[in-house]
């Protein structure tokens, strides 16, 4: 096929937009940690059925998966900035609805709020793509990693807000935390207002080929491998992380030790973002993604070697670093699979498949841990990693034809 026209972004606009999206990620990325931290606790008080206490967290993941395709359509139709402002508005409303559910002692209203928070997260998750759209070549890979640094700030902001504001509304625990969730979305709104489309020029030698049908893109080897890398990286991370606190307590470790292990895991997820972009430029995005999958496999091997506290913590740290390399590498790989005209639907389809898998992993992990145990969780990781690692290594050694 003919080579598609690729825009070359104005570097100053691309850098400015990357910083705007990084700040917005710090505010918006705290949305999910707040719901994950409190959803089960609030569910314990409001749920009419003990089996439903984790439903608010599961609905966050479901809302994220279901929101990806509508978010992609809105951004394609109205532009990135308008879409992100609309997403921030959903974020404000979701926090207020969740707080209202607590104040009204309504489990249904609270679940509606956490599901809407998932829709907001579907916009936040695409900030990484927007940063790559606004930069070219190696700068695009750096921009993706830079935006993910905002996730590190969000991982700190979210839990701290829970601590500071959980008793802000007298007599109603945690309502203040969800009001603060709405306030963070409100803070993201003026930041996103300054987002601008980059000034671009067509690179020489290209022929504009228009837009391919999504099914044609979905069946290309390059895109399938990028999706598979993202699905396995994020899906396995969620699958293991969801089960690990329960497994730690079940093997005799304290709740505080389990919480500290998760905290180290989250830091390991986002901390490497300071260098991931440079590693992709030096070694290639496929090699970095393959290293991430290998680390996820190593985390399972450590978990299978024992159930002492050190085994859990080392496993969770390796899992976090592996997710960072695998997911950021997969994001950069998706950027190779589309023309500018195709990017919204290609990115939306990618996120729908990735976060649909995350939602399934969240639902499935707890029941499998209960029925089959911690070892089974980790044995499942190894073949899943191998299934994608082998073609990914082959891809790094023998590049596929252009998509």
């Amino acid at each position: 096929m003919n080579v598609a026209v690729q825009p070359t972004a104005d570097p100053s606009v691309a850098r400015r937009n990357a910083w705007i999206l990084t700040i917005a990620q710090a505010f918006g990325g705290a949305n999910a940690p707040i719901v994950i931290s409190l959803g089960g606790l609030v569910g314990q008080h409001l749920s009419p059925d003990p089996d439903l206490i984790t439903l608010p967290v599961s609905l966050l993941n479901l809302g994220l998966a279901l929101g990806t395709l509508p978010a992609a359509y809105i951004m394609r139709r109205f532009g990135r900035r308008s879409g992100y402002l609309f997403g921030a508005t959903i974020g404000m409303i979701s926090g207020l609805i969740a707080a209202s559910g607590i104040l009204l002692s309504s489990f249904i209203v609270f679940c509606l709020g956490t599901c809407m928070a998932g829709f907001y997260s579907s916009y936040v998750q695409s900030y990484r793509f927007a940063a790559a759209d606004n930069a070219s070549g190696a700068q695009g890979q750096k921009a993706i990693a830079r935006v993910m640094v905002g996730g590190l700030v969000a991982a700190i902001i979210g839990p701290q807000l829970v601590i500071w504001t959980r008793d802000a509304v007298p007599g109603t625990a945690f309502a203040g935390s969800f009001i603060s969730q709405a306030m963070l979305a409100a803070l993201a709104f003026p930041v996103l207002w300054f987002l601008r489309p980059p000034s671009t020029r067509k690179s020489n030698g290209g022929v504009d080929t228009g837009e391919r049908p999504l099914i044609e893109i979905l069946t290309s080897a390059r895109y399938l491998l990028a999706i598979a890398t993202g699905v396995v990286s994020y899906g396995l991370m969620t699958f293991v992380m969801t089960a690990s606190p329960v497994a730690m307590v079940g093997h005799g470790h304290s709740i505080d030790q389990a919480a500290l292990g998760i905290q180290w895991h989250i830091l390991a997820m986002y901390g490497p973002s300071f260098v991931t972009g440079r590693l992709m430029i030096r070694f290639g995005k496929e090699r970095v993604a393959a290293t991430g999958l290998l680390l996820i496999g190593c985390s399972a091997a450590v978990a299978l070697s024992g159930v002492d506290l050190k085994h859990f913590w080392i496993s969770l740290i390796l899992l976090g670093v592996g997710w960072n390399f695998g997911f950021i590498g997969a994001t950069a790989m998706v950027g190779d699979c589309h023309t500018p005209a195709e990017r919204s639907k290609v990115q939306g389809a990618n996120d729908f498949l990735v976060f649909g898998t995350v939602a399934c992993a969240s639902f499935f992990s707890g029941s499998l841990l209960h029925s089959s145990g911690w070892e089974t969780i980790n044995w499942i990781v190894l073949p899943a990693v191998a299934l994608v690692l082998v073609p990914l290594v082959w891809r790094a050694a023998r590049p596929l034809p252009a998509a």
Side-chain angles (χ1 to χ4, degrees), residues 261-397:
I262 294 298
Q263 189 173 42
W264 278 110
H265 167 70
I266 293 173
L267 290 173
M269 284 174 62
Y270 293 103
S273 300
F274 289 102
V275 298
T276 307
R278 294 185 178 89
L279 291 175
M280 288 194 294
I281 293 169
R282 181 169 181 180
F283 299 106
K285 58 186 80 71
E286 292 85 4
R287 288 187 176 90
V288 170
T291 302
L293 292 181
L294 188 61
L295 288 171
I296 291 173
C298 290
S299 77
V302 170
L304 288 168
S305 68
V307 292
D308 292 340
L309 190 61
K310 64 182 179 182
H311 294 107
F312 280 105
W313 282 8
I314 293 171
S315 174
L316 284 169
I317 290 170
L318 289 172
L319 182 68
V321 178
W323 171 86
N324 182 280
F325 288 175
F327 186 59
I328 294 180
T331 299
M333 289 166 65
V334 170
D336 292 337
C337 301
H338 59 74
T339 66
E342 297 165 345
R343 64 189 175 200
S344 293
K345 65 182 181 183
V346 169
Q347 294 166 3
N350 174 81
D351 277 2
F352 176 74
L353 293 169
V354 169
F355 295 113
T357 303
V358 168
C360 292
S362 175
F363 278 108
F364 184 53
S365 179
S367 60
L368 185 65
L369 177 68
H370 178 72
S371 63
S372 302
W374 175 241
E375 284 193 355
T376 300
I377 294 283
N378 287 282
W379 277 118
I380 288 174
V381 170
L382 297 175
V385 164
L387 191 64
V388 178
L389 184 59
V390 171
L392 192 57
V393 171
W394 180 264
R395 165 76 177 92

Side-chain angles (χ1 to χ4, degrees), residues 58-74 115-116 118-123 348 351-360 363:
S58 296
L59 287 174
L60 168 78
N61 291 318
L62 182 63
L64 170 54
L66 295 178
T68 52
L69 294 180
Y73 172 79
I74 288 171
C115 187
M116 286 190 66
F119 279 99
Y120 174 38
S121 288
S122 67
Y123 289 88
D351 277 2
F352 176 74
L353 293 169
V354 169
F355 295 113
T357 303
V358 168
C360 292
F363 278 108

Side-chain angles (χ1 to χ4, degrees), residues 30-39 157-159 161-162 177-178 180-181 184:
N31 173 65
I34 290 174
V35 177
I36 292 169
S37 298
L38 298 180
I157 290 176
L161 271 178
V162 169
S177 299
F178 286 93
S180 69
Q181 175 193 352
L184 283 175

Side-chain angles (χ1 to χ4, degrees), residues 245 248-249 252-264 309 313:
M248 274 190 271
V249 173
H253 306 297
S254 71
I255 294 176
D256 287 346
Q257 288 171 328
L260 187 57
I262 294 298
Q263 189 173 42
W264 278 110
L309 190 61
W313 282 8

